[in-house]
Amino acid sequence: MKQLVLDLGAEPAQSLDTFQIGENAEMAHLMHQFAQRASREHFCYLWGETGAGKTHLLQGLAATDGARYIAATSGADDFVLTPDVSLYLVDDVDQLSPERQIDAFALFNQVREHGAYMVCTGPVPPAVLPVREDLRTRMGWGLVYQIHGLSDDQKIAALTQAAEARGLTLSASVLPYLLSHFKRDMRSLSTMLDALDQYSLETQRPVTVPLLRDLLLQGNPGSPHSETKE
């Protein structure tokens, strides 16, 4: 079971349908249009804090035919427009090296010239991106959306729905405790819910705070909560 906890950082497969919309209805609708190459606008820049779902959205789009996901660490070849790709997805623009910033600028111009589509992400609005001026300007040419993270109540509602969908019964205090003692982004929380489900089955114990605490302590034996009793 310890190995399961240590693997919580592994990136699960993402899709547009599993993105928790919250206050992002207009942006989520636009992403579905990009997935179908049906948007009148061909470029979009998404920004928001870590864990808001930027990479989730790009990976969801990357699952569509003719799409290419480009990480900040990708090589120069990924920034070259090719006939088989109509949607380019550049993640973490702020982390691009000086050389890749030049490549991203060139790719933007190629996408525009050939009528392809492009979605880029970063942590801040285009005007204050820490990149070269010509690339920063390009990031603001199309549609710009801030991705708003879910409130705690929205996260609990989404996790409750996910638990019910898999037939998992949670005691009332489990999810508030999880939000207070674990990573707060939905990817990590959803992965922990899967781990809780499996741990509950393995130990034949109901999903309560003591069970959750045991699971958390297996991944972090030095936790200050290790001596806390329910």
Side-chain angles (χ1 to χ4, degrees), residues 4-227:
L4 175 62
V5 178
L6 295 177
D7 284 346
L8 286 176
E11 189 73 37
Q14 305 287 14
S15 73
L16 294 181
D17 290 336
T18 59
F19 176 73
Q20 298 296 328
I21 295 175
E23 300 177 11
N24 304 291
E26 181 178 335
M27 181 277 300
H29 177 69
L30 176 67
M31 291 301 99
H32 281 279
Q33 289 186 323
F34 267 76
Q36 300 166 10
R37 316 299 191 267
S39 170
R40 295 179 61 183
E41 176 60 57
H42 284 231
F43 181 85
C44 184
Y45 175 82
L46 306 175
W47 67 277
E49 62 184 11
T50 300
K54 301 185 296 294
T55 298
H56 183 139
L57 288 168
L58 292 199
Q59 291 183 343
L61 289 169
T64 64
D65 291 336
R68 179 188 297 165
Y69 175 83
I70 306 173
T73 54
S74 295
D77 290 347
D78 282 345
F79 290 84
V80 177
L81 187 140
T82 55
D84 60 317
V85 177
S86 58
L87 175 60
Y88 297 83
L89 309 159
V90 186
D91 209 359
D92 299 319
V93 173
D94 59 301
Q95 297 179 26
L96 294 173
S97 68
E99 293 79 10
R100 296 294 83 79
Q101 289 181 36
I102 295 174
D103 294 336
F105 173 78
L107 177 59
F108 181 99
N109 291 334
Q110 291 178 317
V111 165
R112 191 179 185 206
E113 178 182 353
H114 290 86
Y117 292 80
M118 189 176 189
V119 181
C120 299
T121 72
V124 293
V128 291
L129 267 174
V131 296
R132 51 186 291 154
E133 178 62 27
D134 54 5
L135 180 59
R136 180 165 55 245
T137 300
R138 294 298 187 275
M139 293 299 102
W141 271 14
L143 298 173
V144 176
Y145 283 92
Q146 179 183 5
I147 301 180
H148 300 280
L150 298 180
S151 67
D152 284 358
D153 287 345
Q154 289 172 326
K155 290 177 181 178
I156 288 175
L159 292 168
T160 299
Q161 183 177 14
E164 291 174 349
R166 58 169 55 91
L168 181 61
T169 301
L170 308 175
S171 70
S173 53
V174 165
L175 293 178
Y177 186 93
L178 180 60
L179 286 175
S180 300
H181 295 81
F182 192 60
K183 299 175 183 178
R184 296 175 58 81
D185 64 281
M186 282 301 297
R187 181 183 66 83
S188 297
L189 291 168
S190 297
T191 305
M192 176 53 83
L193 191 64
D194 290 336
L196 268 173
D197 191 6
Q198 182 174 333
Y199 192 40
S200 174
L201 290 173
E202 290 179 352
T203 60
Q204 294 297 301
R205 295 167 58 191
V207 182
T208 60
V209 168
L211 182 78
L212 171 58
R213 185 184 297 123
D214 288 349
L215 186 57
L216 292 173
L217 290 178
Q218 289 187 48
N220 183 19
S223 168
H225 303 284
S226 59
E227 302 301 322

